[in-house]
Amino acid sequence: MELSLKKSSDFKLPTGILGASLSQDGQSLVAACMDGVYMADLPSKSAERIGQHESYVSSAAFLPAQDAVVSAGYDGAIQWFDLATRQQTRHLELHEFWSWDMAVSPDQAMMASVTGQYLAGGYKYEPLAEREPSLRIVSATSGEVLHSLPHVPSVQAVAFSPDSQFVAAGNLMGEVRVWNCQSSELAAQWTTPDFTSWGIIKSHCYLGGIFAIRFTPDGKELIVAGMGPMRDPMAGNGRQRWQKWAWTEKAPRKLDETHNGESGEGLMETLAIHPDGDLFAMGGRLRGGDWNVALFELATGNRKATLKTGYRVTEANFNADGSQLVLVGTQGQPNAMKDGKFPDFGRVELYELTKTEDEKAEGE
């Protein structure tokens, strides 16, 4: 299979975008920005702010069954907004610390949010035990907290399985835990050390971890993403890395990871599975190399297409038929104010995705 990505549209939002989600028809985008929650109309390249948190907004998603959107922020709160009126309908104080990541279950019945602050717990700088549950599952309709689940902070990535039966979360130390959403029983647990750095230059701390996690379409495997280890955690020059794990086995097993020669340096922050189930996208920051967004075959792990966007990509979304890839992020820091306003530095880009089967595959 050969792939091509061609940019078809782009525009800016006032501040950096930390998370985003596409509507079912692919025409609208809800964006979690540093200064609030925005609704963007992609065809017209316009956007309006519909609400705010007390700090940065980290995640945002559509709830089509409720004609609503939901957001999570560094204030530890979850908020619901009615799409028709653009008014906030519910506010839930969920965490004492930040919500690092939030996900909505495919059946739209639940939301999961993860939190946690890394504090040294001993002379080896291992993380201090959590001060509050690191993962909470909430009813998407009532806001009731259904489960409060333990992990080792900080927990930076969360995802539901395609059948909404399981939830997975990954942390700073490369530890993944998977729970049954109904019983809250721990279904799997393992640690991969390939995403965590221990500082021996400039600082003594752990840095990195798993920043994105997704179930494969059959629900039997998990893809995790982040960055490889570094001697200097502040350099940001670890290898661009993903791994695929068979989590349902008695002893979870690594099946594949970023292939040699197919990666540069930089923290990978987002994963997206193509609707056809044959590809996944990974994106993030570029520290060294020639791409910060790439498409990979799910079955082989082979890299098939790359992009060098020139900005930090924080979220990637495919539209419903997989013909379009929507990227969002932030480009640098705001420059000096001009006419009482900071220049816009949130980025939205749309790419047309074309698949072409190679002649050999067609002949077979």
Side-chain angles (χ1 to χ4, degrees), residues 25-42:
D25 63 6
Q27 300 297 297
S28 301
L29 180 86
V30 58
C33 296
M34 292 180 175
D35 68 336
V37 181
Y38 283 76
M39 283 298 304
D41 180 76
L42 299 182

Side-chain angles (χ1 to χ4, degrees), residues 133-276:
S134 294
L135 186 149
R136 282 200 161 104
I137 299 177
V138 176
S139 167
T141 54
S142 69
E144 176 190 0
V145 177
L146 303 175
H147 300 294
S148 296
L149 303 171
H151 209 321
V152 178
S154 60
V155 184
Q156 298 155 166
V158 65
F160 284 98
S161 62
D163 61 4
S164 302
Q165 296 302 303
F166 297 93
V167 64
N171 74 352
L172 166 75
M173 305 301 287
E175 182 180 343
V176 179
R177 298 186 185 185
V178 184
W179 294 268
N180 183 297
C181 293
Q182 302 305 315
S183 67
S184 76
E185 292 180 358
L186 187 66
Q189 179 180 0
W190 72 94
T191 299
T192 170
D194 301 327
F195 295 95
T196 299
S197 296
W198 163 248
I200 60 173
I201 300 174
K202 298 180 183 176
S203 62
H204 294 283
C205 63
Y206 287 99
L207 194 71
I210 294 171
F211 274 73
I213 188 167
R214 291 291 183 272
F215 285 86
T216 55
D218 63 6
K220 296 180 180 179
E221 298 165 355
L222 271 166
I223 303 174
V224 296
M227 180 171 59
M230 303 166 290
R231 286 173 57 82
D232 176 6
M234 310 308 292
N237 61 352
R239 183 184 178 194
Q240 296 164 324
R241 173 166 281 162
W242 59 264
Q243 289 182 344
K244 183 168 69 172
W245 287 78
W247 73 270
T248 59
E249 299 182 4
K250 185 175 182 180
R253 176 171 55 96
K254 185 174 69 175
L255 301 174
D256 203 355
E257 65 180 334
T258 312
H259 297 174
N260 290 333
E262 292 190 348
S263 64
E265 300 171 351
L267 175 62
M268 298 290 96
E269 301 182 63
T270 182
L271 290 166
I273 307 292
H274 192 275
D276 290 346

Side-chain angles (χ1 to χ4, degrees), residues 103-123:
V104 174
S105 61
D107 64 5
Q108 296 184 55
M110 299 169 288
M111 298 181 303
S113 175
V114 289
T115 188
Q117 183 180 14
Y118 166 48
L119 298 171
Y123 74 95

Side-chain angles (χ1 to χ4, degrees), residues 301-359:
N302 293 333
R303 193 186 70 191
K304 305 301 295 185
T306 63
L307 294 170
K308 188 175 183 179
T309 66
Y311 63 92
R312 170 191 172 192
V313 172
T314 56
E315 196 81 60
N317 285 275
F318 290 104
N319 66 350
D321 66 7
S323 63
Q324 198 170 69
L325 176 65
V326 180
L327 304 176
V328 305
T330 177
Q331 187 166 28
Q333 299 294 327
N335 296 318
M337 294 182 71
K338 185 177 181 180
D339 299 326
K341 180 181 179 296
F342 287 114
D344 295 348
F345 63 103
R347 297 294 301 269
V348 180
E349 289 188 339
L350 285 67
Y351 289 84
E352 301 302 320
L353 172 61
T354 303
K355 296 182 183 181
T356 305
E357 298 296 333
D358 58 63
E359 294 182 2

Side-chain angles (χ1 to χ4, degrees), residues 48-91:
E48 64 171 318
R49 188 171 66 183
I50 65 171
Q52 293 177 274
H53 282 249
E54 293 182 3
S55 185
Y56 294 170
V57 188
S58 54
S59 308
F62 284 93
L63 293 172
Q66 301 181 42
D67 195 28
V69 296
V70 62
S71 63
Y74 284 2
D75 56 359
I78 306 291
Q79 297 184 154
W80 285 253
F81 297 90
D82 182 86
L83 278 176
T85 64
R86 301 297 204 249
Q87 297 298 309
Q88 183 190 123
T89 58
R90 182 180 291 114
H91 178 99

